[in-house]
Amino acid sequence: MPLYSYRCTACDHEFEALVRSADTPVCASCGSVALERKVARIAPDTKADKFLNTARRAAAAEGHFSNYSKAERSRI
């Protein structure tokens, strides 16, 4: 089931809902079915791997290895 963003045209309430293609969602605020499906935002490209590697290097330099998995610790 895809996650859609909606705006209720009756009360201007915005919400997200997991909706099957055959189902019609209702507004959680007023119960209206007069909804406008909004364009979903694209998730930004994160740099989580760079942040994780930086944190791991800093922790390893201080002698802390708690943020490594057991398999990774055995290779160090």
Side-chain angles (χ1 to χ4, degrees), residues 23-52:
D23 294 345
T24 303
V26 295
C27 177
S29 180
C30 69
S32 174
V33 293
L35 303 174
E36 175 183 89
R37 190 183 303 173
K38 296 175 59 177
V39 177
R41 292 187 224 168
I42 298 172
D45 183 27
T46 62
K47 296 181 175 112
D49 292 336
K50 291 181 183 179
F51 292 122
L52 182 60

Side-chain angles (χ1 to χ4, degrees), residues 2-74:
L3 180 67
Y4 291 110
S5 296
Y6 291 95
R7 184 183 71 81
C8 178
T9 57
C11 69
D12 207 37
H13 176 71
E14 293 186 7
F15 62 97
E16 292 181 336
L18 285 170
V19 181
R20 292 185 179 149
S21 60
D23 294 345
T24 303
V26 295
C27 177
S29 180
C30 69
S32 174
V33 293
L35 303 174
E36 175 183 89
R37 190 183 303 173
K38 296 175 59 177
V39 177
R41 292 187 224 168
I42 298 172
D45 183 27
T46 62
K47 296 181 175 112
D49 292 336
K50 291 181 183 179
F51 292 122
L52 182 60
N53 289 335
T54 302
R56 285 181 168 180
R57 270 189 253 113
E62 295 175 6
H64 302 285
F65 297 100
S66 61
N67 58 351
Y68 286 88
S69 69
K70 288 183 181 181
E72 291 171 323
R73 285 185 220 161
S74 66

